[in-house]
Amino acid sequence: MPTEPDTGYDPDLGRKFIFVTGGVMSGLGKGITAASTGRLLANAGFDVTAVKVDPYLNVDAGTMNPYEHGEVYVLKDGGEVDLDLGNYERFLGVDMTSDHNITTGKTYQHVIEKERAGDYLGKTVQIIPHVTDDIKRRIREAADGSDVCIVEIGGTVGDIESMPFLESLRQFAHEEDDDDFLLTHVTLVPNSKNGEQKTKPTQHSVKELRSIGLQPDILVGRNEEHLEQATKAKIAQFCDVPTEAVFSNPDVEDIYHVPLMVEDEGLDEYVMARLGLIGEALPKSERDNSWRELVTRERDGSVDIALVGKYALEDAYMSIYEALKHAGLEQGVDVNVLWVDSDEMRDTHTERLREADGIVVPGGFGSRGTGGKIEAIRYAREHDVPFLGLCLGFQMAVVEHARNILGWEGAHSAEIDPETPYPVIDLLPEQYDLQDLGGTMRLGAHDTDIQADSLAADVYGADSCTERHRHRYEVNPEYIDELEAGDMVFSGKAGNRMEIVERTDHPFFLGTQFHPEFRSRPDRASPPFVGLVDAVLEQVAKKEIQA
Ligand code: GLN
């Protein structure tokens, strides 16, 4: 039984763990399936949390290129994590911390630091047990305080990188009581040329799991359609699970419908039965039904919002797409995002920008595409198009004003043009001193004071807000008075840091140094995004009256 002496963990706590692994190939949406199961358990009255395991060597996602990995999601404690954590926060309605994203890099770094400090008392430090103990400790600590913890192992079973995690899982299964541990394996069930559902890849991937001592309790098969009964029976037979433990995961047009689909499949009930939770779950008629009501609510028409970014990849701006969707849910419309390449502003993309009812300029690092972003902001300002600038988008709105309203030729952010004669965006003086030490990024949740009677006050309906940050540069305090002399106002501040900018000569022009998209939830849309969609609807109505 327990192979793990030093975690101090008491299995009698009765905490439930649902591990989720993936087979055959990546990108099957196992995170969404896992998060959806979690949502349903939360609806049934349980406190649910999640852990995402990323088997790469990066310590965190902060240094990763969005083009390869999608956006870097920022948590309230400043953790820069995998974008899947964003899905868990949105689906479960909880705030997580960096401890909920475990990477190989984080684990090894800690074990090696302990080794250097002599904490292993001269022992040979090895993957088993030292790394696996550390992994198990992290998972259990992250689960602390919840009834059910969903642990998603990134990557695909069989990858070299995931081995230490799967070994930890194997040990975990032995240490926990049977009804506290559940392994769900999500695999691909492809169609043959003549449309037959093929189970062989699933069989092979379960064989792979078994070869490392893991037997799945539940199998979820990804196919465009529902799995046929015969397919389920075959998978059950070859993979040694009951037929009732094989579930479909067909394509749905909206990921917010996955919880509904999972519920219709009965996956949540099976999980609860298997974990001995049925007695504690709310009766069906008393469960929280608000998610279903929200995502199936009738919507009245749609609006087009241009997103002017440099990555032709939805995942690179995932939380912005989501926040726009949430604002649409609140306003009762669908929001179509028109992607505008900030590098290609000269041709087709300019037309797309002109077709849009509203414009969002997102965050970013480095110079590529900033010219196009400034052009898009100018267009929004001159044509009264509702505009929202986020982080770099906020900074470029200040640059656009300095150049085109104040006539400061060559004004820029010192990040992009270190030689600019007007560094309206720069590091704060105290940051220059810190720069050598590397730690200059301002991360996580910080408070902003909002000026009364401003657009920002209107949008937030409050005199302060707390939003997540991820930036190095700031509005240069030396230029603030001059920048505000025109129709530009800094209506949100945190000490000498400018947090919100708006224009008084425009129907809706708002920029935020922070990233409100990271706090947006389906049932708690982010105020600046709601404000944007609201302003768009007003403008569209006005145009219709004029026409
Ligand atoms: N690159 C800018 C800065 O570091 C903006 C960062 C961002 O948009 N997240 O301040």
Side-chain angles (χ1 to χ4, degrees), residues 362-376:
F365 292 81
S367 63
R368 187 164 73 80
T370 47
K373 286 180 176 169
I374 294 169
E375 273 312 298

Side-chain angles (χ1 to χ4, degrees), residues 539-547:
Q539 291 285 96
V540 171
K542 240 191 234 166
K543 269 190 221 152
E544 272 165 15
I545 292 169
Q546 282 162 7

